[in-house]
Amino acid sequence: MSSNPPPSAAIPFAVACLGIALFSVMDAAMKGLTIELGVYNAMIWRLACGFVIGGIAFFGMRSPWPSKPAMRLHMIRGCIGAVMAMTFFWGIARVPLAEGIALSFIAPLITLYLAAVILGETISRAAMIASILGIGGVAVILAGRIGGGIWNDEIMMGVLSILISALLYSYNLILQRQQAQIASPVEIAFFQNVFASISLGMFAPFLAIVPSSEHAPMIILSAALAFVSLLLLSWAYARAEAQVLVPVEYTAFIWAAILGWMVFDEAVTPATILGTVLIVAGCIIAARQKPAVVAHIETTAI
């Protein structure tokens, strides 16, 4: 039996692949900006550019104003997503890019348990097996670092920050497909930037520093990549079930490994590869059980 997506899902599948690739490039750009500017200034200036780009698209297309239910979802995802992105980018500035992406893959497995608490869903035996695989994958990645002697307090805090980001994102996953069904991609992309900017902008008088002009191209590039990627993924997830698109998400590891090696001279260890295989296997098992909940990993990276 062919593993290719059905014809009706072929275009959303291809669009999602492109969205993940662009998001991976954005992650690499943001890692560099975070190292140079700090995570807050990298985020706030990228969001400011994203606000302008999104505003031009939203108002230029004469998009209708969001409904109250849609606006509520935009606000929740924008505010939580801002913290999620901050913790993720702070973390990948301290660990290899591929390793950080691999650790973030555990988010859908956490979602299974949040769905049980929030939505009253039953946790199946397959979901428990998936969780064990995911936790085992994280343990393998960490054991590889500790066993290789590449471990210190800063790396430990980076790993913890990424896992906190995954926990926050697992809640966003519960809202992801619901939001895609009631709002257009342009609307989603614009208002996530709006509410993320508002939530982080409150600290601007104390933390914001105007970056030098040499950082402007990378800030604009990262904002454009994030906006276009979110458009592509929102469009794809509104037209195909998550179970069809979930495999696309794990191509992010390949892109992260390539970009980490090319841009930051980061090697991918055997432990990271093995741990990623275990986590992805768990996610695929979970996705087959909970296709509507176990959605994608990258979309809310704002």
Side-chain angles (χ1 to χ4, degrees), residues 105-273:
F105 283 166
I106 200 171
L109 303 179
I110 300 174
T111 303
L112 293 173
Y113 293 90
L114 285 183
V117 174
I118 297 173
L119 304 178
E121 297 183 354
T122 301
I123 300 176
S124 66
R125 183 177 180 181
M128 293 181 182
I129 294 173
S131 299
I132 292 172
L133 286 172
I135 293 171
V138 172
V140 168
I141 292 173
L142 297 184
R145 273 206 158 270
I146 296 172
I150 312 173
W151 188 257
N152 55 43
D153 290 344
E154 187 173 24
I155 291 174
M156 180 182 69
M157 293 303 294
V159 169
L160 180 61
S161 185
I162 292 170
L163 293 177
I164 291 173
S165 177
L167 176 62
L168 292 172
Y169 186 70
S170 67
Y171 176 64
N172 274 353
L173 286 176
I174 296 176
L175 305 173
Q176 166 61 34
R177 188 159 173 81
Q178 181 182 5
Q179 185 188 35
Q181 292 297 318
I182 64 174
S184 70
V186 170
E187 179 184 317
I188 292 171
F190 174 56
F191 281 97
Q192 280 196 208
N193 269 284
V194 168
F195 287 109
S197 298
I198 291 173
S199 61
L200 293 183
M202 294 186 294
F203 303 97
F206 313 101
L207 299 176
I209 298 173
V210 178
S212 64
S213 58
E214 67 183 86
H215 294 118
M218 194 60 66
I219 292 173
I220 296 171
L221 175 64
S222 64
L225 287 171
F227 186 81
V228 174
S229 300
L230 188 52
L231 283 179
L232 294 174
L233 288 166
S234 296
W235 186 92
Y237 272 83
R239 289 162 176 80
E241 291 185 352
Q243 61 182 332
V244 175
L245 300 179
V246 158
V248 176
E249 307 301 329
Y250 307 118
T251 62
F253 178 80
I254 299 172
W255 290 111
I258 294 171
L259 292 167
W261 171 66
M262 291 180 62
V263 181
F264 303 104
D265 196 26
E266 298 170 346
V268 179
T269 66
T272 299
I273 295 174

Side-chain angles (χ1 to χ4, degrees), residues 33-56:
L33 286 171
T34 299
I35 292 172
E36 295 183 13
L37 300 177
V39 66
Y40 179 82
N41 281 285
M43 275 294 300
I44 197 66
W45 291 109
R46 198 203 73 184
L47 285 172
C49 289
F51 180 87
V52 174
I53 294 171
I56 292 173

